[in-house]
Amino acid sequence: MTSGVLRVQLGEPSAIDPGRAFEHDGALVAGLLADPLVDCDPVTGRLAPAAARGWEVAPDGLSVRFDLRPGVRFHHGREVVAEDYRYALSRAVRPETRSDAASALTVLDGYQEVASGRDRMLRGVRAVDPYRLEVGLARPFHEIAAVFGQRVTAPVPAELAEADPAAFARRPVSNGPYRVVEDWRPGQGPVLERFAGYHAANAAHPYGGAGQSPRIAFRLHNSLADAYHAFLRGELDVTEVPPDLAGRAAAEAGAAFHSTPNPMVTFLGFPTGLAPFDDPVVRRAVAMCVDREAIGRRHFAGTRPVANRVVPPLLDPGGTDGTGPDPARPALALAHDPQGARRLLARHGITPPPGGVTVLFNAGQGHEGWVADVVRGIAAGLGWQVSARSLDWPAYLRELPRAEGLFRMNWAVDQLSYDNALHPLVHGAAIGEGNHSRYRNPDVDALIDAARATADEGVRRARYREAEQIVLDDLPLLPLWQGALYHLVSPERVRPLGPPIDVLGAPALRRYRLIGAAAGAAGNGAAGAGIGVGR
């Protein structure tokens, strides 16, 4: 039975609990289950009030206060109050929660004590009264409000999360426009149903953020190629398309195909704590052997321009990745020059590493072709023994923080914040979290910390840029291509209310309205009737 059900491809997530979901697939589900205090407009990326009516960052950047929206309810019916946020934030940080998303909260006062197990509750988070929440920070951070647009900051009810953690992982409860009605289990995606008690006052979305489809069934396809063929057979309404099938999808699927630039950069990472990649000369020589322009044309049909920055262009428009050169903006000065790379290593007396080098990547997502080209380029350019190593998604995530060779990684920002594109990747405090290259530079750390503490937006941006330029010169990560994602959305069954893919590159599922036979006998009238309540 497919009427009244939006069928969406999903890779096996690591978690769908808002306090733990962090990669693309888990975040896609958690984004429907939970409304954060502030939310990101899917079209512009601007922050807007969601579960909070408003917020104020202190002039010194050391705290932020939220005025909560009365009448917001959990899926099991209880009203959400400030104490629920105090619990949820603390729970996300606790070691037993094992949340990879908790790294976004490191600046909260008391983080280290809770993360180490010494304390149970974050001392900086205070419920002033049922509808006022105050969050104190360990260090100044003037972009802190953007952090509270991430689902890891959303409320969860202690009485359910503590009573049966395993059951809660399968069927999380929060305050979003959809609730779980069929559990997520390994090999089986969750089924969500529109939540009748949703507050419908999220200012980032039309109709107050209420869901437009009665049900959403997530169908697990860990191979995007398999999902593509399932879409063509009429078994899915929405799927991501792997890069190596994008050209074919554009030709075969017609109006269903969407190619969307997004604030993501694909990198080739170096384990900077291990020889020979602890030497910036080696990193530069390897980078000089990667023909980013030719590989991008071959595999992405011109949809993904070469990236010459760590920060996506959308966060700092213009410059060498945007509308034109600008000396104030950072840029990577690097040419494809394999012969020059060999000469560079010879001048420094650097010989091929014994045992060769591997390039780690995740399988099933269409990376095989371009990774093979990268491997061939480095091997031919430097005369090294280079091989590719693919792992399934869970194994890849486990291996990434301790990779001993080169590795492929994407970084897509969680909100349109310069800090979110830089701090998680290159700050020393993020080693063991998003900083998989284990890069540490005291000058970069000091500049990012100074930027966070700066209230003036122009001065703050200048400091972030200075830090970024040092990173580009050091090359712990080689930026390869700017982001673009490819999706199929059935025009016969789905009518999105606005762009089908949001500014961050994810399907804007709460805006998808089923049409025709897909809508079923009840249609979407229930959505239209209930959406205005609470606006």
Side-chain angles (χ1 to χ4, degrees):
M1 183 71 175
T2 62
S3 62
V5 180
L6 179 69
R7 303 162 302 165
V8 181
Q9 170 268 332
L10 190 74
E12 186 74 75
S14 58
I16 63 171
D17 174 348
R20 297 186 60 223
F22 78 102
E23 31 57 31
H24 168 79
D25 298 292
L28 188 64
V29 179
L32 298 170
L33 300 180
D35 250 13
L37 288 164
V38 302
D39 209 350
C40 177
D41 185 298
V43 178
T44 67
R46 289 193 294 266
L47 294 180
R53 292 184 295 186
W55 67 89
E56 182 178 7
V57 179
D60 61 5
L62 280 169
S63 66
V64 57
R65 177 173 287 192
F66 295 96
D67 292 324
L68 306 191
R69 199 181 295 281
V72 174
R73 297 194 174 276
F74 285 120
H75 299 146
H76 68 315
R78 180 171 68 75
E79 186 179 31
V80 179
V81 293
E83 188 62 31
D84 293 311
Y85 288 94
R86 181 170 176 262
Y87 165 74
L89 293 166
S90 300
R91 169 184 177 263
V93 176
R94 291 174 186 169
E96 66 268 24
T97 305
R98 301 189 306 279
S99 173
D100 290 300
S103 59
L105 308 177
T106 54
V107 74
L108 272 57
D109 187 23
Y111 176 93
Q112 293 299 335
E113 290 80 356
V114 175
S116 66
R118 293 197 301 272
D119 289 345
R120 296 292 291 167
M121 302 296 285
L122 292 163
R123 64 170 173 262
V125 182
R126 187 166 69 96
V128 179
D129 62 37
Y131 303 116
R132 285 190 297 167
L133 179 74
E134 188 172 273
V135 180
L137 310 181
R139 298 171 298 281
F141 186 20
H142 284 272
E143 293 187 4
I144 184 60
V147 171
F148 283 85
Q150 298 187 40
R151 265 60 190 181
V152 69
T153 66
V156 295
E159 64 270 25
L160 299 183
E162 296 291 329
D164 190 340
F168 192 83
R170 297 190 300 270
R171 187 180 290 226
V173 170
S174 190
N175 65 336
Y178 285 88
R179 65 189 185 96
V180 180
V181 291
E182 293 183 23
D183 291 5
W184 166 57
R185 301 177 187 278
Q188 177 182 309
V191 176
L192 313 186
E193 182 178 77
R194 192 165 49 210
F195 175 41
Y198 179 62
H199 64 89
N202 185 325
H205 299 272
Y207 300 105
Q212 296 298 300
S213 296
R215 281 195 167 208
I216 300 177
F218 287 97
R219 307 284 173 82
L220 292 185
H221 290 271
N222 288 321
S223 165
L224 290 181
D226 289 347
Y228 173 73
H229 293 295
F231 181 92
L232 295 182
R233 292 193 299 269
E235 297 168 7
L236 290 171
D237 300 315
V238 184
T239 184
E240 189 177 344
V241 177
D244 57 350
L245 287 178
R248 179 178 167 185
E252 291 183 344
F257 180 72
H258 300 271
S259 174
T260 313
N262 73 311
M264 176 183 78
V265 176
T266 297
F267 296 98
L268 184 66
F270 301 91
T272 62
L274 300 175
F277 303 113
D278 55 345
D279 187 341
V281 171
V282 173
R283 300 196 294 265
R284 180 160 289 272
V286 170
M288 291 166 68
C289 295
V290 180
D291 192 344
R292 299 176 295 158
E293 186 75 44
I295 296 172
R297 282 198 310 270
R298 185 175 304 119
H299 294 282
F300 309 124
T303 61
R304 299 192 62 186
V306 167
N308 285 312
R309 296 189 58 181
V310 176
V311 172
L314 186 61
L315 305 187
D316 192 19
T320 55
D321 277 338
T323 59
D326 182 339
R329 291 180 172 89
L332 173 63
L334 181 76
H336 177 237
D337 184 6
Q339 293 182 342
R342 281 207 186 201
R343 291 194 297 269
L344 178 63
L345 293 185
R347 280 201 307 271
H348 288 82
I350 297 170
T351 57
V357 171
T358 60
V359 179
L360 176 69
F361 71 100
N362 54 307
Q365 303 296 302
H367 303 310
E368 288 79 2
W370 70 258
V371 170
D373 282 352
V374 168
V375 166
R376 282 191 290 267
I378 299 170
L382 300 181
W384 289 6
Q385 180 183 341
V386 187
S387 60
R389 180 180 176 224
S390 65
L391 296 173
D392 64 28
W393 182 244
Y396 166 80
L397 291 177
R398 290 193 298 270
E399 183 75 13
L400 199 55
R402 56 176 184 268
E404 296 182 355
L406 306 174
F407 55 89
R408 180 222 71 91
M409 69 170 286
N410 287 341
W411 184 255
V413 296
D414 301 298
Q415 70 269 341
L416 298 188
S417 156
Y418 209 126
D419 187 89
N420 189 242
L422 208 56
H423 186 283
L425 291 181
V426 298
H427 196 287
I431 293 174
E433 295 167 352
N435 183 350
H436 299 309
S437 62
R438 285 94 86 188
Y439 171 72
R440 191 187 299 274
N441 184 316
D443 293 336
V444 169
D445 292 354
L447 282 164
I448 293 175
D449 291 342
R452 286 183 154 202
T454 302
D456 182 274
E457 184 177 357
V459 177
R460 183 166 70 242
R461 184 172 295 270
R463 288 173 174 164
Y464 281 127
R465 286 176 172 175
E466 189 178 349
E468 185 187 0
Q469 187 60 63
I470 296 173
V471 172
L472 291 168
D473 294 339
D474 283 352
L475 272 182
L477 298 162
L478 170 62
L480 295 173
W481 304 286
Q482 297 175 31
L485 291 173
Y486 315 103
H487 294 86
L488 295 176
V489 179
S490 171
E492 290 81 23
R493 287 176 51 90
V494 178
R495 180 175 296 140
L497 303 183
I501 311 301
D502 69 25
V503 69
L504 299 179
L509 295 178
R510 69 169 76 191
R511 293 182 174 213
Y512 283 22
R513 179 172 288 179
L514 295 169
I515 57 175
N524 281 285
I531 280 166
V533 177
R535 290 190 68 188

